[in-house]
Amino acid sequence: MGLAHGQEKYITKQGYISFFSHSPVEDIKADNNQVLSIIDTSSGQIAVSLLIQSFIFEKSLMQEHFNENYMESHKYPKAVFKGKIQDLGDLTADNKKVSITGELTIRGITKPIETTAEIKKMDDSIILNGDFLVEVKDYNIKIPSIVANNIAKTIKVSFELVHQPYN
Amino acid sequence: MSKKNILILLAVLTILGGYLGIRMYNKPHVNVAESDPDLVLFSQTLLDDFESDEISANEKYLEQIIQVTGKIQKLGTANGNGTITLTNGTSIGSVICHLSEKENKKMVSLREGQEIMVKGICTGYLMDVILINCVLVN
């Protein structure tokens, strides 16, 4: 029983999540390679958490502003998503489109979120790929007017999570 | 001061300001290899601190350059870069060190069970304590 239960859980501690901001002035991208994600295939439950300070920018000054001014990562070190993959069913090596609903917490503020993603099972890995949009104002992130034109109002978040059996 | 001198002074100030602005905009990332660690401790102490009181551990360790000594439980890769998991074997959690790109080639000399010293920037605690931009310390 315990063993069977364990085999339904899949985990990654090195998932990849990036975000992208496009504006007429500049494009800004940051990458995070230390994302923790756990999927329970029996229920479709998924929990993803990441550390804000693990986002790496090309420019260290942007990274500094992101952490200190916008995200206040000392006060709110994590972002967390908890949700459910709808109609997970049986997984094959072919990508299957699924919808995911849940709650995303950033800067201590929790908002419902809904997105679609692609999921497949290759060998022992469960691979979940997709992207969704986040409104900056939903999470009370204050962008000073002097850089308002440099940062998009809507940020695209992309994820690539390669889970292994959790044992 | 003549008008000409004032113009020259203004030009010099503008160029200097522009230069400093660009330098600041292009400020490099912290070079972990060449920086002295802010804290030196055993990987287990770091993990214990986060497991017992995450909030105060965040205050103490976040964004700091931390040098840890610990035993290699597992060697791996994440998006092409080496990862080293340090643990004493009794905890569920561990300290996961993500190596900087330049350090990858040193992975071949490492063995599981070996005790090593690693220096990196602490970004926080999920199931494990995460150190990024890590370099090996000899």
Side-chain angles (χ1 to χ4, degrees):
Chain A
M1 175 69 190
L3 188 70
H5 192 71
Q7 282 167 342
E8 291 163 353
K9 279 193 177 159
Y10 288 77
I11 185 171
T12 178
K13 293 180 175 183
Q14 51 199 41
Y16 171 71
I17 289 187
S18 67
F19 68 79
F20 182 72
S21 153
H22 171 75
S23 78
V25 184
E26 61 186 337
D27 288 341
I28 300 169
K29 188 175 180 274
D31 300 314
N32 188 328
N33 278 301
Q34 287 89 37
V35 178
L36 171 68
S37 172
I38 301 172
I39 294 179
D40 185 335
T41 53
S42 63
S43 63
Q45 299 288 342
I46 177 167
V48 182
S49 52
L50 61 77
L51 296 164
I52 302 299
Q53 293 202 8
S54 278
F55 277 108
I56 304 298
F57 292 66
E58 190 195 333
K59 300 239 176 284
S60 76
L61 190 69
M62 283 181 188
Q63 195 167 318
E64 208 175 292
H65 289 168
F66 171 76
N67 279 298
E68 287 171 17
N69 305 343
Y70 308 147
M71 298 299 285
E72 300 176 89
S73 59
H74 279 89
K75 213 164 142 191
Y76 309 105
K78 291 175 196 179
V80 176
F81 172 79
K82 281 184 184 148
K84 194 175 175 195
I85 305 170
Q86 308 292 336
D87 304 316
L88 191 57
D90 289 328
L91 297 175
T92 66
D94 293 321
N95 260 326
K96 167 172 147 178
K97 204 167 179 177
V98 286
S99 78
I100 302 177
T101 51
E103 289 182 324
L104 178 62
T105 306
I106 304 173
R107 298 179 79 254
I109 298 169
T110 302
K111 298 271 177 184
I113 188 165
E114 198 176 336
T115 186
T116 55
E118 294 200 310
I119 192 164
K120 65 180 170 184
K121 190 172 180 182
M122 297 259 298
D123 301 321
D124 258 348
S125 311
I126 290 183
I127 304 166
L128 186 69
N129 278 307
D131 51 61
F132 58 92
L133 299 174
V134 170
E135 299 289 330
V136 173
K137 65 167 169 30
D138 279 358
Y139 294 95
N140 202 14
I141 298 164
K142 293 184 186 77
I143 311 286
S145 56
I146 191 165
V147 292
N149 288 327
N150 300 52
I151 299 167
K153 307 267 180 292
T154 306
I155 308 288
K156 182 178 169 183
V157 179
S158 305
F159 53 91
E160 188 180 330
L161 305 166
V162 182
H163 305 78
Q164 310 293 339
Y166 189 15
N167 39 35
Chain B
M1 226 187 307
S2 72
K3 259 188 185 166
K4 197 182 158 194
N5 283 342
I6 291 173
L7 280 178
I8 290 171
L9 184 68
L10 273 179
V12 168
L13 284 177
T14 310
I15 291 167
L16 191 70
Y19 170 73
L20 288 177
I22 289 167
R23 271 246 329 228
M24 211 172 123
Y25 181 71
N26 288 313
K27 189 175 79 158
H29 285 273
V30 175
N31 186 328
V32 174
E34 286 172 12
S35 306
D36 288 329
D38 298 306
L39 292 148
V40 178
L41 68 173
F42 286 105
S43 64
Q44 194 59 36
T45 313
L46 181 65
L47 179 63
D48 288 344
D49 280 0
F50 271 101
E51 285 184 341
S52 59
D53 185 350
E54 192 179 341
I55 291 167
S56 63
N58 276 331
E59 277 168 20
K60 192 169 168 190
Y61 297 115
L62 277 196
E63 238 183 326
Q64 303 293 309
I65 297 178
I66 296 175
Q67 183 172 311
V68 291
T69 304
K71 203 168 168 189
I72 304 175
Q73 184 204 30
K74 204 169 81 181
L75 296 164
T77 54
N79 286 45
N81 289 331
T83 60
I84 304 171
T85 305
L86 301 176
T87 177
N88 69 355
T90 56
S91 306
I92 295 172
S94 63
V95 175
I96 303 181
C97 310
H98 289 254
L99 293 190
S100 75
E101 216 176 309
K102 282 184 187 160
E103 292 289 296
N104 281 334
K105 54 183 185 296
K106 296 186 186 166
M107 283 287 281
V108 291
S109 65
L110 300 176
R111 296 287 172 267
E112 286 172 12
Q114 189 183 339
E115 194 169 272
I116 54 161
M117 232 188 273
V118 188
K119 188 166 65 168
I121 299 170
C122 183
T123 63
Y125 172 72
L126 294 169
M127 278 171 80
D128 312 271
V129 182
I130 308 289
L131 300 182
I132 65 168
N133 294 344
C134 290
V135 297
L136 298 174
V137 182
N138 298 321

